[in-house]
């Protein structure tokens, strides 16, 4: 029980005394003092990181082929070993046999284990969507019965939401639950599809509709209840070692007391648990991507063509640098949001909220950030593995080299935990709903931006404080977002929700703003902690990401405006968009060269 000896860590409070609300980054500047950066992980968290790393190196990495062949009993034994080490109970309260660590510590575990390919998927399905519904929605008897066994891995868990005809539209499932004549059991009938860990799970969280209910109800179903059959393992593009089954429920008898939470509360459970799943998926993309970058830089340093290591070539250096920049940016955003969730949780508990409810509420408050991290994390990883294959050349295409597996395994991340399309839609939808409920004042700032368009530009005083220029660029990007979103809302009103291309454009702007800001805040914090010279590379990374984000915001904004405005109005808004996405010339090529040089000299990702 290696983790058991660690003490509890108290959570960092925001230093400036600001409370941070989810989604508010769109209209408000965040102070660097108020973000958590991964460099601040304490000794205990670093030991947990090391434990995860050691586990991967000793147990998972040497067995990747055997895992992908689904060798009988292997995944289960790995999960058992992870359980013995305490890796399945990191964020489970001590009263249920876990270690009660905070949210960002569980993000760190997801990050490091993320490099474990199919094993990472099995672990995260078990600890996340499999275990958390019971932990957060179970009554005391349910938690007492199931959580200790799940925390140690004695029992493994799966989550059964998707059906052949109900994927993204999850509440449309047809699996039914009917009370038996004796009134003791619900009989579940139906078919679930794509169920991770299905082949070996002992406990299933099953979503079904009781009678003619509109909404799903969740149940805790044990494999031994009977009435459960399965198809053989699915043949998949990637994560071949992860068990994925279709499951059939034929009059599966579930005791009354195994209903989770209340009747018809299942969809809410599914959505809230997915918020946590999404941000953790983003975290796991960091670990996978870091491993790929390390392999790619090693290979680029070793592979010689035209009498030079290929790492000497600008085209390859570009790729290496860009892979590192995007990974660093995502890491900055993920742990920033993770800490926000921890802080919100602490505040809710201090106000008297029950721990499970507080965890869900805190995550819900930052659901916009969770969705951004899911989308940007999965797309970052796809970029990294794709360039990883390219750096390996022909060997990238060989099943005997590591890139082939990384490339295949990455692709699922844009599909599960809500597809990236659905998550992009959610980002905008949640933001607009918060504005409509008066929780977030979007209209005031949007009107101010519209007013600014009519006025003579105020270039203000030159501010030569560190990062003042970058912050101005970022503030302008937020204005660009408000300009586009505000105009879209005003022009399209109720039909905006049907204009998905425009919603995708707006989601892109919001996401780039969040990730660029997180990266800049991390560099700024490090600058103040360590001094300018020690953080040259981090500042380069923040600037590279910011300048790329400016171009992306311009493109997305232009597409959106062109699609719903015209004439003088369009011209005026385009002038505004150009003004808000204007930057002094920046030599991004040289900055990438510096990042690449550092990567190549260290022969690994060490930012
Ligand atoms: C390997 C694997 C493991 C999985 N594990 C689990 C698990 O453990 N438990 C579980 O319950 N499920 C699991 N899933 C299911 C997964 O969550 C779904 O595949 C996913 O939610 C998408 O649903 P779908 O496949 O039905 O696609 P669809 O919903 O049919 O989507 C098809 C395409 O249409 C798009 N689309 C759908 N609706 C909209 C819309 N309103 N607007 C715009 N575009 C839209 C999607 O983005 C996608 O591009 C797993 C899937 C896979 C492949």
């Amino acid at each position: 029980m290696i983790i058991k000896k660690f003490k509890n860590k108290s959570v960092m409070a925001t230093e400036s005394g600001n409370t941070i609300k989810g989604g508010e980054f769109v209209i408000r500047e965040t102070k660097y003092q108020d973000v958590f950066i991964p460099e601040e992980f304490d000794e205990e968290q670093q030991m947990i990181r090391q434990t995860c790393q050691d586990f991967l190196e000793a147990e998972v990495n040497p067995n990747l082929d055997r895992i992908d062949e689904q060798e009988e009993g292997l995944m289960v034994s790995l999960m058992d070993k992870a359980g013995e080490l305490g890796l399945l109970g990191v964020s489970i309260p001590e009263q249920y046999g876990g270690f009660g660590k905070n949210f960002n510590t569980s993000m760190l575990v997801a990050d490091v284990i993320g490099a474990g390919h199919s094993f990472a998927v099995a672990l995260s399905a078990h600890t996340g969507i499999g275990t958390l519904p019971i932990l957060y929605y179970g009554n005391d008897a349910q938690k007492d019965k199931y959580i200790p066994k799940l925390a140690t891995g004695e029992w493994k868990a799966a989550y059964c939401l998707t059906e052949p005809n109900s994927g993204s539209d999850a509440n449309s499932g047809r699996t039914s639950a009917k009370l038996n004549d004796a009134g003791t059991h619900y009989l579940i009938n139906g078919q679930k599809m794509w169920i991770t860990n299905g082949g070996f799970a002992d406990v299933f969280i099953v979503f079904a509709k009781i009678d003619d209910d509109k909404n799903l109800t969740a149940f805790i179903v044990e494999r031994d209840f009977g009435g459960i059959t399965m198809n053989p393992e699915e043949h998949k593009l990637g994560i071949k070692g992860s068990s994925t089954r279709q499951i059939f429920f034929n009059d599966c008898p579930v005791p009354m007391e195994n209903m989770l939470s209340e009747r018809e509360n299942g969809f809410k459970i599914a959505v809230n648990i997915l918020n946590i799943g999404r941000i953790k998926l983003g975290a796991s993309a960091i670990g996978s991507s870091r491993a790929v970058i390390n392999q790619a830089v090693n290979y680029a340093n070793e592979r010689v063509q035209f009498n030079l290591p290929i790492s000497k070539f600008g085209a390859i250096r570009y790729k290496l640098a860009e892979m590192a920049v995007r990974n660093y940016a995502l890491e900055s955003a993920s742990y920033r949001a993770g800490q926000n969730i921890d802080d919100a949780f602490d505040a809710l508990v201090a106000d008297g909220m029950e721990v499970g409810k507080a965890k869900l509420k805190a995550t819900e408050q930052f659901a916009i950030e969770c969705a951004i991290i899911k989308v940007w994390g999965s797309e970052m990883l796809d970029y990294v593995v794709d360039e990883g294959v390219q750096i390996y050349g022909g060997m990238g295409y060989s099943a005997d080299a590591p890139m082939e597996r990384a490339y295949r395994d990455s692709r699922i991340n844009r599909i599960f935990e809500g597809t990236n399309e659905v998550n992009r839609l959610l980002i905008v939808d949640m933001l607009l709903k918060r504005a409509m409920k008066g929780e977030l004042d979007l209209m005031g700032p949007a009107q101010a931006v519209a007013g600014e368009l009519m006025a003579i530009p105020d270039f203000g005083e030159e501010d030569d404080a560190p990062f003042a220029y970058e912050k101005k660029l970022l503030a302008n990007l937020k204005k660009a977002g408000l300009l586009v979103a505000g105009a879209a809302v005003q022009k399209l009103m109720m039909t905006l929700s049907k204009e998905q291309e425009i919603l995708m454009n707006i989601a892109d702007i919001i996401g780039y703003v969040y990730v660029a800001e997180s990266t800049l805040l991390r560099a700024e914090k490090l600058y103040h902690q360590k001094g300018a010279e020690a953080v040259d590379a981090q500042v380069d990374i923040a600037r590279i990401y910011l300048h790329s984000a400016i171009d992306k915001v311009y493109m997305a904004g232009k597409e959106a405006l062109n699609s719903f405005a015209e004439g003088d109005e369009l011209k005026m808004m385009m002038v505004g968009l150009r003004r808000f996405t204007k930057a002094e010339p920046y030599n991004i090529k040289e900055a990438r060269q510096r990042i690449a040089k550092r990567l190549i000299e260290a022969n690994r990702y060490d930012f």
Side-chain angles (χ1 to χ4, degrees), residues 159 161-162 167-168 194-196 412 415-416 419 421 425 500:
Y159 173 92
L161 178 64
T162 307
S168 300
W194 303 118
I195 305 308
T196 302
I412 184 60
I415 297 170
F416 59 18
T419 65
E421 292 72 31
L425 294 174
Q500 289 200 347

Side-chain angles (χ1 to χ4, degrees), residues 121 125 129 158-170 192-198 205 207 234 236 238-239 242-244 274 412 414-423 425 500 504:
V121 177
I129 52 182
Y159 173 92
C160 307
L161 178 64
T162 307
E163 299 181 11
N165 292 312
S166 162
S168 300
D169 185 8
K192 295 289 176 178
M193 202 171 171
W194 303 118
I195 305 308
T196 302
N197 294 351
I205 306 300
F207 295 86
E234 299 287 349
K236 307 189 295 286
I239 55 163
S242 160
S243 168
T244 314
L274 284 177
I412 184 60
R414 280 160 56 198
I415 297 170
F416 59 18
E417 308 281 354
T419 65
N420 283 15
E421 292 72 31
V422 167
N423 271 289
L425 294 174
Q500 289 200 347
M504 298 282 146

Side-chain angles (χ1 to χ4, degrees), residues 341-506:
I341 292 172
D342 271 327
D343 290 342
F345 168 78
D346 282 358
L348 292 165
V349 170
D351 280 352
M353 192 179 275
E354 186 263 319
V355 167
K357 275 206 183 83
K359 191 69 94 183
L360 285 170
K361 186 90 198 142
T363 321
E364 201 184 332
Q365 282 177 7
F366 289 90
I368 295 171
E369 287 81 352
C370 291
I372 291 173
I373 287 161
K374 192 272 173 184
V375 173
W376 263 253
S378 56
E379 293 179 6
M380 176 277 289
L381 183 57
D382 268 0
Y383 173 82
V384 166
V385 296
D386 186 69
E387 292 292 40
V389 168
Q390 200 64 17
I391 289 169
Y392 268 62
M395 282 311 287
Y397 212 69
S398 163
D400 295 329
M403 288 305 154
E404 183 257 6
R405 178 182 280 113
Y407 184 81
R408 287 186 290 98
D409 285 357
S410 165
R411 190 61 182 82
I412 184 60
N413 292 301
R414 280 160 56 198
I415 297 170
F416 59 18
E417 308 281 354
T419 65
N420 283 15
E421 292 72 31
V422 167
N423 271 289
R424 277 191 164 85
L425 294 174
L426 278 173
I427 290 168
V428 185
D429 183 60
M430 290 189 283
L431 205 60
L432 294 181
K433 280 201 178 118
R434 286 180 195 193
M436 261 148 39
K437 281 194 211 155
E439 291 170 6
L440 211 58
D441 176 23
L442 280 187
M443 281 334 272
Q447 275 161 4
V449 168
E452 205 177 319
L453 284 187
M454 315 293 253
I456 298 162
D458 172 14
F459 295 106
E461 296 280 300
E462 280 282 317
D463 182 350
D464 52 9
F467 304 101
Y469 171 64
E470 286 78 10
K471 284 186 192 172
K472 191 166 162 230
L473 293 181
L474 200 56
N476 278 344
L477 280 195
K478 294 186 185 190
K479 287 182 187 173
L482 287 167
L483 164 70
V484 176
V489 169
Q490 215 176 33
K491 271 265 178 273
L492 301 164
M493 310 265 239
M494 303 312 276
T495 57
L496 177 59
S497 63
K498 306 245 176 312
E499 294 282 0
Q500 289 200 347
E501 296 93 327
I502 297 171
L503 295 172
M504 298 282 146
N505 291 146
I506 298 174

